[in-house]
Each structure stands twice: as structure tokens, then as C-alpha cells.
Amino acid sequence: MQSKSRWWMGPLSLAALAAAGADETAAQALDTDFLLTPKPARIELAFPDIATTSSYRVRLSGSNAEADDVEADPPIVGPILSGGAEALTQAATPTAPSVTNNGCSKIKSKQQCMFDIRLPPGLAPGSYSCDVLVTGKNGGQSVKTVSLDIRASAWWAGVVIALGVALGAAVTDWRGTARPIVNKRIEAARLREEALHLAASTGQVSMARRVRQLALDLKVLDSDILAGKDDPAKLPEYRERLDLLNRADALLQAAAEPKNGAAGVFSLLAQRLEAALVAVEWKKETVTAAADTLSAELTGFQPLFAAAQRFDKHAGELKQAVEYLGAAGETTQWKAALALRKEAFQPLQTDGDGTQTTTRAKPLNEAADILEAMPATIAPIIIAQLDGDIATQLVAASTDDEKKSLQGLQTQVAALKSRVPDAAAVAEAGRLGKELASLSGLEGLDGTVEVPAIVEAGSGLKFEWSDTAFQPEAGATLADLTDSRKAWDLMTNAIALAGIASVGVMVLWATNTTWGSVQDIILASLAGAGTRLSIGKIGQTAQQ
């Protein structure tokens, strides 16, 4: 008997109506229990409606329990309210509810009557209520609250849950099948991009040819992966091959850096590696062996180069002195040392074990030690010969200018006597000897061995290369695959998390008398997705 509790929320005042009917006391008044307590009204929307239309009605009954007939005014319906008992709000509908088919205008004694309330269009599924007031023409009134539950069709629930199942299937198929395939395709695309980058950057024809072939093989592999016919061992094999090609390219570039006298030292080893690269059949063992040998020799080149520089420094200090002394200066040790120096940068043989540079560096350092000690023995000899040759030429001099030049040389030799056996003094003595020979018209001895040219200090001989693979650079195909994978991961993770979290707490159509709200639809779709994911997980566990 909710005669007052919620009617005050409506636009009509019951107190005013009661006062109006109080003046007519002579006729039969309407009993407060005239309106029968309505059962909760339940409306199931027709498919595919998602809200009420003007055709939906709710029927109410009245009963005259008095001995006399009563007359009633048309029923008045208050606003539609939504929400629970603790928080009621007026439903936003374009029109107010109205009364139709009113059969309760004059009710005989002990008779019942009925009238319909037309619901406004636009009520979405949910719980609603409204107050209905009937007043008697001779006074009295009856108020009842009508509870209304509206839910969407079961067909809608089935459709939404089916869509959820489809989403769950998409998540399962993506994670179980599509994503692993995309991952392998991304790795193949990354390797292909690296291979094409290496082919464009290398200066080696053999390397570019082999790398382009690898890129074609990777393209074929991508097609096989997409068709599900790929060999799982192929991708790691191609990764290893590309790493080896990167290493071989760095080694070939380093082998081409020596200039001048050392230009061809690695030529044979480089040719061996290039031959392994251009072979019709790829043989990893052959390429690796050639690369290892070249790498070991490149590592040993720097000590050999340092030994040659040290040798040339000491040989340069002694060269003019030895040339001046002739046979007396060209000792067996001198000739042997020059022979070693000439052999230092000869092409390394391909049948070596990778230690040829180290083998050459050791005797060359020993020869440099001998040259470093030579000034102590050669200095007295060259000074004595200079003294004798100058004295002889002074006696034979025919002009004053010639005598003056010889006397100047004699003064310089006298100054050098206090500095021997300093290496710089020996070099100066050699220069004076060459000048003395020029004055006398001599050209030097035919047996003198020239010191060969070596690598210049600024030739760019640096071997700080890296054997590691290049970092992958995103190309068009690789970027597309990666972006696609990110998008799918984001979407499937969102669906899976929401579905799994909601499976245990959602309320479905069968037990929800107001099903059809936005929340209900979301929960139903997630129920289907979560159920499908759970089934997929159980299936995977069983297979494992």
C-alpha cells in the first residue's frame, strides 16, 4: 500500500485532490483499496527492438468491494522512475505514460474493472516504477505503485554471446596460430632487411652476390612460413649465415686497407675467402675456415707493421753510412736484415695456419735489434774513412773553392768524433760521406741495397673492426609486420583480460529480468569470449 511514499515526486498533489473530494460527502466515496495491488509487470521486447515503442502497455485492475456503485475519474499516472528503492531518478522519455482502454469510470458493486497504461517509447531494458492514482467522483482515492521490468529479447542475448564466442575464438587462434607465424615472418623480414643493407653497403662483388642470394632465400622462406611449410631449422641457419657474411665483409674490408709496400700482403687470403663466398654451393665450414685464417693474420699484422717501422727507422739512420763505406759497410748481417725486410709484406700463403704475420715479425724485430747496435761498430770505421778520403782529396784539389769545401767537411767530421757511436752522429757521417762522394764525382757502389718503401704513417691502417652483426633497420615490410603484431596484441589482450575477469561475475539473460542494458550486453559478449578462451586453454593443456 504505497499510497503516499513516492507520489510526492510527481507533478500532482494528492492532498489537493483529497481536499477537492471532501466537499462531496453525500455520495459513495472511492475506497482506498479500490486499486488491486499489481504484480510486478514484466515486458520482453520483441526482436530486434532495444527499447519500448508506443505499442507496449501495462494493465491494472480495480475492484468495488462496497455495496453501492461508485464512479471514478480517469486514472492519473505519475512520471516513470528508474533505479532502486534507495536512489530513484526520473526516466528521460520523450512522452509521459498515458491511460488507454479505461474501463473504470463507473463500477458496480462487487465488480472489477481494468484499464491500460501506455508506456512511453524509448525505455531501455531495466527496472522502472510509476504511481497510479484513481479518485472517486464522490470522494475517496486509491494509489498504487506499479513496478516494471523490461528486458531485451533472448535472441539479442544469443547474438551478443555468439559474437563474444567469435571474439574468443579470434583471440585463441591469434595466440595459438597467427602470432607465432607473424613472429617468424618478422624475424625473416628483419634478416632480409639486414641482408639487403649489407648488399648495398659492401664494396665486395662476391659479398654482394652471396648476400643478395640470401635475401632471395629469405623471401622464399617467408612464403613457406605463411603456407605452413617452413623448415624450423632454416631461420636459425640463415641467421648464422648472415652473421658469418657480416664478419667476412668486415675482414675483407680490413684486408684491403694496407697501402704502398704492404698493399698485397692479404691478397691471397682475401681471394681464398672470396672464392668460398662465390661457390655455387654454400659451405659454412669452408667460409669459416677462410675467415678464421684471415682474421688471425689481420690480428698479427699490427705487430709486424710495428716491427717494420722500427727496422726502417734504424736502417734509415745507417743507410747513407753503409752506402759510403761500400763493401766494408754491407756486412752479411746488413744484407740478411734487408732481405728479411723485403719479405715482411709479401703475400701471405693460403696454406698457412694463421701465424705467418707473427712468424715474420719475430726475426724482423731481431734484425732491428742488430741494426740498433750497428752504430757502435760502424762509427769508428766511417770516421776514419772520411778523414782519409778528405785528406787525399785535399792533396789532389786543384781550385780554391774545392779546397774550401773539403776543409768545411773536415771541420764537421772533427766535430762528430766526440759524438760517436751515437746513431744520429752516424747518420750525419753518412750524409757527409754522400756529400764527399758528390764532390769527387762518385755515384756510390753498385751493390748497395735500397730500403723498400713501407706503409706511410697516415695510410689508415686501423684494425678496430667489429665482427658483430649489424643492428636491424626497419624497412617497409618489417615495419608493417611489426605494427600489425602490436595492434593484434593490444586488441587480443584487452579482450582476454576483460573476458577472463568478467566470466565469474556477470549475470546472463536467463536470471536477469531486466537484461538488455549496455552493461548486460558487454558482460554477455565477454562471457562468450571468456568461455571460448577457457575452452581453448583446456584444449591446449590436454594436447600438451
Side-chain angles (χ1 to χ4, degrees):
M1 297 295 294
Q2 301 181 16
S3 58
K4 297 181 179 180
S5 59
R6 301 197 307 163
W7 182 252
W8 300 107
M9 300 171 63
L12 189 62
S13 171
L14 292 180
L17 291 174
D23 294 337
E24 302 179 11
T25 57
Q28 178 66 42
L30 190 71
D31 186 54
T32 57
D33 293 331
F34 171 74
L35 287 176
L36 298 179
T37 301
K39 295 181 179 179
R42 291 181 179 176
I43 293 180
E44 186 170 315
L45 300 176
F47 186 81
D49 291 345
I50 58 174
T52 57
T53 63
S54 59
S55 62
Y56 286 98
R57 292 173 172 81
V58 175
R59 176 158 290 182
L60 272 75
S61 300
S63 177
N64 181 13
E66 302 298 332
D68 299 323
D69 296 347
V70 296
E71 292 185 15
D73 292 328
I76 300 175
V77 184
I80 297 289
L81 304 177
S82 63
E86 299 299 327
L88 295 174
T89 57
Q90 184 169 336
T93 54
T95 59
S98 60
V99 175
T100 62
N101 302 323
N102 182 19
C104 293
S105 58
K106 186 173 183 178
I107 308 95
K108 296 183 178 296
S109 174
K110 309 300 180 180
Q111 296 293 316
Q112 290 186 347
C113 64
M114 292 181 294
F115 61 93
D116 293 335
I117 299 175
R118 177 182 295 179
L119 297 178
L123 286 176
S127 295
Y128 302 92
S129 64
C130 65
D131 289 338
V132 179
L133 169 68
V134 177
T135 59
K137 289 185 177 295
N138 297 318
Q141 61 184 11
S142 179
V143 179
K144 286 290 186 281
T145 297
V146 180
S147 297
L148 176 64
D149 290 339
I150 301 176
R151 70 175 174 183
S153 167
W155 286 100
W156 267 120
V159 169
V160 173
I161 293 174
L163 290 175
V165 172
L167 289 175
V171 173
T172 302
D173 291 344
W174 165 250
R175 288 180 172 176
T177 304
R179 195 177 192 281
I181 291 176
V182 172
N183 283 340
K184 287 196 287 187
R185 292 190 66 197
I186 286 176
E187 180 61 21
R190 180 179 289 112
L191 292 180
R192 188 166 69 250
E193 294 292 335
E194 290 183 25
L196 293 175
H197 176 78
L198 178 58
S201 63
T202 184
Q204 311 295 327
V205 176
S206 58
M207 177 64 63
R209 187 180 306 162
R210 175 57 69 181
V211 173
R212 288 193 181 95
Q213 181 59 49
L214 176 59
L216 291 176
D217 293 341
L218 285 165
K219 191 173 183 179
V220 173
L221 178 62
D222 181 69
S223 300
D224 292 341
I225 293 173
L226 194 59
K229 300 184 298 183
D230 62 303
D231 182 357
K234 281 291 185 182
L235 202 54
E237 177 188 339
Y238 289 157
R239 171 82 264 178
E240 186 180 24
R241 184 181 300 184
L242 183 60
D243 289 342
L244 183 54
L245 289 173
N246 272 306
R247 179 172 184 248
D249 182 62
L251 292 173
L252 290 174
Q253 290 184 22
E257 286 190 11
K259 301 295 187 286
N260 299 328
V265 64
F266 298 113
S267 59
L268 297 180
L269 294 180
Q271 291 172 13
R272 177 189 175 191
L273 179 55
E274 290 176 350
L277 291 173
V278 299
V280 176
E281 181 181 358
W282 170 265
K283 293 184 178 180
K284 170 190 168 185
E285 295 77 11
T286 304
V287 177
T288 302
D292 289 344
T293 302
L294 180 55
S295 177
E297 296 294 4
L298 285 169
T299 303
F301 178 80
Q302 200 63 40
L304 177 62
F305 181 67
Q309 286 184 312
R310 178 169 173 256
F311 180 96
D312 290 348
K313 174 179 178 297
H314 296 309
E317 293 170 347
L318 297 172
K319 178 185 176 185
Q320 291 182 338
V322 172
E323 287 179 349
Y324 175 70
L325 292 175
E330 293 179 0
T331 63
T332 303
Q333 289 180 324
W334 172 260
K335 292 182 178 180
L338 290 184
L340 280 174
R341 175 62 183 83
K342 276 193 171 184
E343 295 293 329
F345 294 125
Q346 292 299 309
L348 301 171
Q349 299 301 311
T350 58
D351 55 354
D353 58 357
T355 61
Q356 296 177 72
T357 48
T358 304
T359 303
R360 295 181 185 183
K362 183 179 179 181
L364 193 58
N365 271 317
E366 294 174 352
D369 292 339
I370 294 174
L371 295 185
E372 188 176 11
M374 277 187 66
T377 57
I378 200 174
I381 300 173
I382 192 171
I383 293 298
Q385 184 161 329
L386 280 172
D387 280 337
D389 289 344
I390 291 173
T392 301
Q393 290 192 35
L394 277 173
V395 174
S398 57
T399 65
D400 292 338
D401 290 340
E402 188 176 355
K403 289 180 180 181
K404 187 176 181 180
S405 297
L406 290 171
Q407 289 171 352
L409 290 176
Q410 194 175 41
T411 302
Q412 294 181 55
V413 171
L416 287 176
K417 290 180 182 180
S418 62
R419 294 173 53 192
V420 295
D422 179 69
V426 174
E428 179 66 16
R431 185 189 66 77
L432 294 177
K434 186 175 182 180
E435 187 175 343
L436 179 61
S438 176
L439 288 173
S440 62
L442 300 177
E443 297 297 335
L445 300 175
D446 295 337
T448 301
V449 180
E450 293 290 338
V451 177
I454 63 168
V455 183
E456 297 178 0
S459 64
L461 267 173
K462 297 179 181 179
F463 295 97
E464 298 176 357
W465 68 92
S466 173
D467 288 347
T468 58
F470 291 106
Q471 294 297 322
E473 294 183 7
T477 303
L478 179 58
D480 289 343
L481 286 171
T482 304
D483 291 343
S484 175
R485 183 177 66 176
K486 288 180 179 178
W488 274 101
D489 282 344
L490 180 63
M491 181 171 59
T492 55
N493 286 337
I495 294 172
L497 289 175
I500 293 172
S502 302
V503 165
V505 296
M506 60 188 165
V507 178
L508 297 181
W509 184 89
T511 58
N512 187 352
T513 59
T514 61
W515 190 93
S517 66
V518 174
Q519 292 178 344
D520 292 335
I521 293 175
I522 293 175
L523 288 175
S525 65
L526 294 179
T531 302
R532 181 61 180 84
L533 287 170
S534 299
I535 294 173
K537 184 64 176 178
I538 294 172
Q540 291 177 3
T541 305
Q543 291 177 1
Q544 293 174 358

